[in-house]
């Protein structure tokens, strides 16, 4: 029996989508069939602005309200370490699954159409990718539970953490409803980073120390640099086409383009600041202590 050989059309040697379609259909008892899924604004769950906004607002009420209640009543620390491990292992597996499925779809598109086609052509916004983009969007609400664990453990809530979780859910919503073909770039990079990040959290919860902790933040910074290069290009291309007609258009709404540029830019600035504060300044401080 010969092993499956990867090709540009089947990057992993076999077609994974039919397997995903079958498994998802069976697990949901026919309520969610990926091959039959249609994202319709106002019909699909969490497809409208009020729905997404309400959940994000509830998220902030729960975490800040919960922290206030815990500190006011002087409640004990609730670790829930076993549940925390399951949460991180689940998100590691989910991120890896979505990453592989999106790569299976986008690699043939990129190979046959080229870089411009894959990030700007409306034809690159396929029905299968929409399913995966929607599932990725849903995971951003599941990831909000990260902060609930921090609150229960009475850990410090940083601006970066709380802002990043709420803004990412909002970012994914704008790109999904804005029909941007370019969104596969930040989504795949984000999923790749999350595979590493949630795996690190899982290991840390088990008491396993790893040498590559600092690289999690480095990967996030590299991710945003690449994201901004591609997103700035696609946004620039669209507006040049709109006002001068000298370049080819790039698909997607202008709202999605502007929101994407603003949020990703803020991420890069905040994560670089975080990296300098946590790793560089603390490293310099420890060196001074050793010298003393």
């Amino acid at each position: 029996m010969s092993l499956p050989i990867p090709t540009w059309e089947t990057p992993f040697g076999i077609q994974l989508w039919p397997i995903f379609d079958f498994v998802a259909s069976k697990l949901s008892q026919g309520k969610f069939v990926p091959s039959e899924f249609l994202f319709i604004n106002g019909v699909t769950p969490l497809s409208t602005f009020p729905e997404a906004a309400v959940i994000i607002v509830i998220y902030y009420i729960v975490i800040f309200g919960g922290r206030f209640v815990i500190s006011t009543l002087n409640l004990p620390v609730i670790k829930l370490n076993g549940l925390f491990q399951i949460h991180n292992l689940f998100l590691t597996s989910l991120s890896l699954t979505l990453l592989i499925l999106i790569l299976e779809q986008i690699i043939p598109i990129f190979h046959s159409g080229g870089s411009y086609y894959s990030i700007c052509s409306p034809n690159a916004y396929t029905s299968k990718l929409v399913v995966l983009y929607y599932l990725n969007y849903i995971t951003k609400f599941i990831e909000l539970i990260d902060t609930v664990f921090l609150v229960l453990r009475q850990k410090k809530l940083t601006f970066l953490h709380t802002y990043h979780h709420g803004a990412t859910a909002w970012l994914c919503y704008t790109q999904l409803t804005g029909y941007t073909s370019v969104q596969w770039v930040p989504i795949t990079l984000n999923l790749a980073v999350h595979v590493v990040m949630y795996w690190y959290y899982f290991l840390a919860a088990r008491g396993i120390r790893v040498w590559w902790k600092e690289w999690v933040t480095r990967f996030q910074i590299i991710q945003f640099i690449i994201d901004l290069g591609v997103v700035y290009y696609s946004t620039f291309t669209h507006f040049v086409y709109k006002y001068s007609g000298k370049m080819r258009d790039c698909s997607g709404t202008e709202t999605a383009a502007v929101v994407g540029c603003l949020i990703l830019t803020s991420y890069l600035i905040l994560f670089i600041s975080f990296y300098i504060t946590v790793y560089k300044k603390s490293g310099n401080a420890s060196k001074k202590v050793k010298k003393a």
Side-chain angles (χ1 to χ4, degrees):
M1 182 178 178
S2 60
L3 295 174
I5 300 175
T7 65
W8 288 114
E9 293 301 318
T10 56
F12 300 101
I14 60 173
Q15 291 288 344
L16 299 177
W17 178 269
I19 300 173
F20 164 65
D21 191 55
F22 174 79
V23 172
S25 302
K26 287 296 183 181
L27 291 177
S28 66
Q29 298 181 337
K31 295 179 181 179
F32 174 68
V33 182
S35 58
E36 299 175 2
F37 176 83
L38 292 174
F39 180 82
I40 305 173
N41 284 333
V43 176
T44 305
L46 298 176
S47 63
T48 65
F49 170 76
E51 290 175 299
V54 164
I55 292 182
I56 294 172
V57 169
I58 291 174
Y59 161 71
Y60 286 115
I61 292 174
V62 168
I63 61 172
F64 290 116
R67 187 177 66 168
F68 174 77
V69 170
I70 289 174
S71 61
T72 302
L73 300 179
N74 197 26
L75 298 177
V77 172
I78 304 174
K79 289 188 175 181
L80 298 175
N81 197 50
L83 192 59
F84 184 63
Q85 291 181 40
I86 294 173
H87 170 76
N88 287 298
L89 190 59
F90 170 74
L91 286 175
T92 301
S93 305
L94 181 59
S95 297
L96 181 60
T97 300
L98 289 176
L99 173 63
I100 292 173
L101 288 170
I102 291 176
L103 287 176
E104 181 187 46
Q105 299 301 317
I106 205 65
I107 288 174
I109 293 174
F110 187 91
H111 176 255
S112 62
S115 57
Y116 172 83
Y117 179 87
S118 68
I119 65 175
C120 283
S121 173
N123 296 326
Y125 194 77
T126 66
S127 58
K128 291 181 179 179
L129 282 173
V130 171
V131 176
L132 300 173
Y133 293 162
Y134 178 72
L135 292 177
N136 176 73
Y137 166 57
I138 297 300
T139 63
K140 300 311 161 189
F141 294 106
I142 300 175
E143 289 169 6
L144 298 180
I145 300 174
D146 293 355
T147 320
V148 176
F149 281 109
L150 291 180
V151 171
L152 294 175
R153 292 175 169 217
Q154 298 185 25
K155 300 290 186 180
K156 180 182 178 181
L157 297 182
T158 64
F159 173 77
L160 172 59
H161 177 91
T162 54
Y163 166 74
H164 177 259
H165 271 298
T168 300
W170 176 243
L171 174 64
C172 290
Y173 167 80
T174 60
Q175 303 311 299
L176 184 62
T177 58
Y179 309 102
T180 59
S181 298
V182 73
Q183 65 184 283
W184 69 264
V185 176
I187 287 176
T188 52
L189 291 174
N190 183 251
L191 287 171
V193 168
H194 278 200
V195 171
V196 177
M197 184 184 74
Y198 283 111
W199 180 246
Y200 162 74
Y201 289 153
F202 170 73
L203 294 177
R206 294 184 61 82
I208 301 173
R209 297 175 63 87
V210 296
W211 61 267
W212 42 267
K213 175 184 177 181
E214 186 175 343
W215 275 98
V216 175
T217 307
R218 289 180 179 177
F219 285 146
Q220 288 171 315
I221 293 173
I222 293 170
Q223 164 200 347
F224 297 130
I225 292 174
I226 298 173
D227 286 348
L228 287 173
V230 177
V231 171
Y232 281 170
Y233 168 78
S234 60
T235 303
F236 173 78
T237 300
H238 168 75
F239 281 105
V240 169
Y241 171 83
K242 179 179 179 180
Y243 292 106
S244 70
K246 293 182 179 179
M247 298 181 72
R248 293 176 291 179
D249 195 8
C250 205
S251 67
T253 65
E254 293 179 4
T255 299
V258 173
V259 170
C261 287
L262 291 176
I263 291 180
L264 290 172
T265 301
S266 69
Y267 284 172
L268 180 60
I269 295 171
L270 290 171
F271 272 88
I272 289 176
S273 176
F274 171 81
Y275 181 81
I276 293 173
T277 300
V278 173
Y279 295 106
K280 294 304 178 183
K281 288 185 178 180
S282 61
N284 292 335
S286 61
K287 288 179 181 178
K288 290 179 181 179
V289 170
K290 288 181 180 179
K291 288 181 179 179

